[in-house]
Amino acid sequence: MEKFLNDDVRKMLGDHLKAMKDVVNVKLYVDNENCDTCKETNQLLTELTEITDKMHYEYIETKGDTSIGAEYGVTLYPTIVILDKDNNDLGVRFNGIPAGHEINALLASLVDMSGAPLDLDEKTVEAIKAIDTETDIKVFVTLSCPHCSGAVTKAHRIAMLNPFVKASMVEAQTFQDLSMKHDVSSVPKIVINDTLDFVGNQPMEVFLDTITKAA
């Protein structure tokens, strides 16, 4: 089978993943291998395990059984769930393949979840930890969008720091019905609690302000 990642890309990714501190556990949920991008997502994650020994990967085929993955709220396929070294769920999800520019968001989530220091100042961390209501963040992206991965990384870092928050990348073309529901015409489009939204890789203050308004 032809490799998803060529040798040059593998070297670049390997250099980036050297920043991982502890093991990260990654689960991929698919309904079957024929779903959109499920096969490609599995191949991408499998090849990443060949690059770093700090990513433990599990491929889970539900075959229509919606109870599988229910503990993580999995309803879309493919969905990647990233857990910490102790299999704690910190609310980090990728719905659809994180390829193209989105591989940068995947790398960031792996490094961040491994316990490496987050690139956030103390005031921002305190503001994130002060969120005290259940919050769902969806970041709609396309694989050709150069600004989307930054928005995904911000959302995932908020989730990692606060147990009330779940943050998901949503690949807009794979999940067109969901994109239409939220009127996605430009990306990244960030939807908070299915009620408020904004467009663009905005500063963290915009994320936090919108979360407060959507509470």
Side-chain angles (χ1 to χ4, degrees):
M1 179 184 296
E2 183 179 352
K3 291 290 186 181
F4 194 90
L5 305 169
N6 64 39
D7 290 341
D8 289 340
V9 172
R10 280 171 173 252
K11 183 180 185 307
M12 180 186 70
L13 299 186
D15 289 343
H16 192 96
L17 292 174
K18 287 177 182 177
M20 291 181 72
K21 181 179 177 182
D22 293 318
V23 166
V24 170
N25 294 289
V26 178
K27 298 177 181 288
L28 171 64
Y29 289 87
V30 306
D31 54 356
N32 60 67
E33 276 250 325
N34 294 320
C35 63
D36 288 349
T37 72
C38 283
K39 186 175 182 179
E40 294 86 352
T41 305
N42 179 37
Q43 186 174 350
L44 169 61
L45 296 177
T46 298
E47 291 184 25
L48 282 179
T49 66
E50 299 167 358
I51 297 172
T52 176
D53 60 359
K54 290 190 174 179
M55 176 180 149
H56 292 177
Y57 172 52
E58 183 179 3
Y59 171 83
I60 303 155
E61 193 169 355
T62 66
K63 298 180 180 179
D65 185 348
T66 57
S67 68
I68 299 175
E71 67 271 33
Y72 302 117
V74 175
T75 58
L76 303 173
Y77 306 99
T79 288
I80 300 169
V81 178
I82 300 183
L83 310 172
D84 71 7
K85 64 178 181 177
D86 298 316
N87 280 307
N88 293 312
D89 178 16
L90 303 185
V92 174
R93 308 284 189 270
F94 287 87
N95 302 132
I97 186 169
H101 289 285
E102 285 311 305
I103 200 162
N104 295 310
L106 176 60
L107 294 176
S109 291
L110 292 173
V111 172
D112 291 347
M113 189 67 80
S114 76
L118 300 180
D119 185 21
L120 297 170
D121 60 63
E122 185 176 346
K123 182 180 179 181
T124 299
V125 171
E126 289 176 357
I128 292 171
K129 289 184 175 181
I131 298 168
D132 60 1
T133 56
E134 294 291 338
T135 301
D136 175 80
I137 308 173
K138 296 181 180 70
V139 183
F140 288 86
V141 308
T142 60
L143 303 185
S144 61
C145 167
H147 307 293
C148 290
S149 63
V152 172
T153 296
K154 288 187 178 81
H156 282 165
R157 286 176 174 171
I158 295 170
M160 288 182 199
L161 287 169
N162 192 302
F164 285 109
V165 181
K166 182 178 76 173
S168 305
M169 180 208 85
V170 181
E171 204 286 293
Q173 293 177 326
T174 298
F175 302 106
Q176 294 184 20
D177 289 347
L178 193 57
S179 298
M180 290 178 63
K181 176 182 176 182
H182 292 288
D183 194 26
V184 177
S185 57
S186 299
V187 292
K189 182 165 188 176
I190 296 85
V191 180
I192 311 292
N193 290 346
D194 291 338
T195 56
L196 297 182
D197 59 68
F198 59 91
V199 175
N201 182 20
Q202 302 291 342
M204 185 65 84
E205 290 78 11
V206 176
F207 280 77
L208 297 176
D209 183 58
T210 308
I211 288 170
T212 298
K213 292 176 180 176

